[in-house]
Amino acid sequence: MRNLIYGAAIFVAACFSCASPIVKDYVVEGEIKGFGDGMLYVMTETLDGYANDTAFVKNDRFTFRSSTEHPVELLFMVADNKACDRCNTYSFGVFVENSSTPIVVKAEVEKRIENAVITGSIQQQQVEQIEATGMFKKLRRLQREKDSLNKVNDTIALEEKNRQFKQLVNVSLDELFAFDFARNSVAVTFVLYKYFPFLSVDELENTLRRFDQTLESSVYLEKMQERIRRSRVMAVGQKAPEFTLQDTTGHSYHLSDFKGKMVLLDFTASWCHWCKVEIPYIEQIHQKMKGKNFEIISVYLDKNREDWVKDVKTSQHPWKCLSDVMAWKKGGMAYDYFVNGIPALVLLDQEGRIISKGTRGEKTMQVVIENYK
C-alpha cells in the first residue's frame, strides 16, 4: 500500500531531480564564550526520525566533522553545563551542506547561544534571511489565537480568525517565494516543512509545484512528498490499509476480520485527555448500534504495553481495545493511517473503504447513521 503513488503525487515527485550529489565531508568550527568544557548533542532529522551524535567542547571551542548527502540542519543541544543552565540557553541550529568551506559558529552563553552568528553556509544565510522577515511570528500568534477560540467554541470569532489566518498564509507563501533564491533552495523546503505544517495536502502539493525542477532533494522535501503520498492512500473512498493489532490477552485481529461490518476506528492513548472527552460520544454510538453489523475499535497509540493494558482494564469499554504498541513509529498503524494527532476517528464501510475522518462529538453519530446500510 505504501508504494501506491497517485497521479498528483507522481507529478510533484517528478518535478525534482533524483540525482544524488557526491557525499563530502564538512566541518563545523565553533567558539562558545563562557561555556568552558563539556559536550553538545548533535541531532539531525532523517526520514525515520533523528540521527544522534556528539561534539566535545574544550576551553569554549569545538570542532565537528561529518558528511551529508544533502543540505540539512544540525541541532546542537547542550548536554550539561552550569553556565547555560544559569542563562537558560540550550541549543542552536546550523545548516550544513556539501562544501569545502568551513562553517564557523560564534556564540556567547551570556548572550544566549540561540543567537549564534554562523558563517560559511549558503543555506544557513538563506534561512536567516527568511526568518528575519517576521512573518512566522505573525503566523504563530494567529495560530495561538485560533487555538484559544477552539477551546471556547466561539464559532463566529473562530471563522473570522480562520479567514485572517488563511489570508496571512497566502501572503506569507508569496513573500517566501519572492526571494530570488526560493525556487531552487533547500532552505525554503526546510522553512515550508518547519513553519507550514498546517497546509492541507492540496495546498502543500500546489506549493511544491512552485519550486524549480532542478531543486536538490532534502529530507524536508521527501517528508512533504511522503505526506502527500500517504494522504492520498487515506483519502475518503480509498480502501483502508490492512492492520494487525492485539488485545490485552495477545489475540491478534486484522481489518479483514471485520469484513461485512461498518467499523469505527478510535485512535487514542492512555495519557490523552481529549480522547477521554470523546468517550461519552463513542458510548452513545455503541448503544445506538448495538446488535447491528457495526464494530468500534479503540486503537491505543501508547509506547508501553503496560500503560494501555492498565487503561483498558480501568476503562472497561464494551468494545475492542487493541494496540500494536508502536505509537507513531514507521510501520505502525498510526503511520499507515496517517494519524498526526489524537483523538482521531476514522469510519470504514462494510468493504473497508474510508467513509469519513476527523469527526468529533455528535457529528460522528450523524455520519454513522447517514452511511449505515
Side-chain angles (χ1 to χ4, degrees), residues 32-200:
I32 309 174
K33 290 184 179 179
F35 191 96
D37 299 342
M39 185 173 71
L40 299 169
Y41 294 119
V42 186
M43 298 180 64
T44 311
E45 188 155 8
T46 68
L47 292 176
D48 296 325
Y50 288 88
N52 300 302
D53 208 331
T54 53
F56 293 94
V57 184
K58 184 72 173 176
N59 296 327
D60 294 349
R61 296 180 178 275
F62 71 91
T63 300
F64 181 79
R65 297 179 184 276
S66 189
S67 60
T68 183
E69 184 178 8
H70 302 292
V72 68
E73 186 196 46
L74 308 183
L75 182 62
F76 288 81
M77 301 181 65
V78 176
D80 182 22
N81 185 278
K82 291 182 180 179
C84 290
D85 288 341
R86 186 174 61 253
C87 296
N88 195 31
T89 181
Y90 298 107
S91 65
F92 57 90
V94 178
F95 233 102
V96 296
E97 56 200 25
N98 292 334
S99 174
S100 57
T101 304
I103 298 168
V104 179
V105 177
K106 296 287 186 180
E108 295 184 38
V109 173
E110 293 293 335
K111 295 182 178 180
R112 301 187 59 81
I113 62 175
E114 287 86 348
N115 299 321
V117 176
I118 302 162
T119 56
S121 167
I122 295 173
Q123 302 294 333
Q124 178 75 31
Q125 292 174 5
Q126 291 179 357
V127 169
E128 292 177 358
Q129 201 174 336
I130 294 167
E131 291 181 337
T133 63
M135 57 184 169
F136 308 112
K137 291 182 180 178
K138 297 176 185 177
L139 284 172
R140 287 197 292 271
R141 176 182 55 77
L142 203 52
Q143 183 67 62
R144 287 194 297 269
E145 292 175 2
K146 282 178 56 181
D147 292 342
S148 64
L149 288 172
N150 266 318
K151 294 177 182 178
V152 296
N153 294 319
D154 189 337
T155 306
I156 296 176
L158 181 58
E159 286 180 356
E160 174 59 21
K161 286 297 177 187
N162 283 333
R163 187 194 65 78
Q164 294 177 16
F165 189 74
K166 176 77 172 176
Q167 185 178 32
L168 183 56
V169 167
N170 292 335
V171 170
S172 298
L173 287 172
D174 287 341
E175 189 174 343
L176 177 62
F177 279 91
F179 286 99
D180 56 7
F181 53 76
R183 284 170 51 83
N184 202 27
S185 168
V186 171
V188 174
T189 67
F190 168 76
V191 169
L192 271 177
Y193 176 75
K194 180 178 180 181
Y195 291 109
F196 294 84
F198 45 77
L199 291 179
S200 70

Side-chain angles (χ1 to χ4, degrees), residues 6-12 166 169-170 173 177 192 196-211 224-236 338 340 357:
Y6 292 84
I10 291 176
F11 174 84
V12 173
K166 176 77 172 176
V169 167
N170 292 335
L173 287 172
F177 279 91
L192 271 177
F196 294 84
F198 45 77
L199 291 179
S200 70
V201 170
D202 288 340
E203 289 170 334
L204 178 60
E205 195 167 63
N206 288 332
T207 302
L208 293 186
R209 287 194 180 103
R210 300 174 75 165
F211 285 105
M224 289 186 288
Q225 291 172 336
E226 178 68 6
R227 179 191 167 197
I228 293 170
R229 289 192 288 267
R230 289 169 59 204
S231 179
R232 297 303 184 206
V233 168
M234 282 300 295
V236 171
F338 196 48
N340 292 319
K357 302 183 298 179

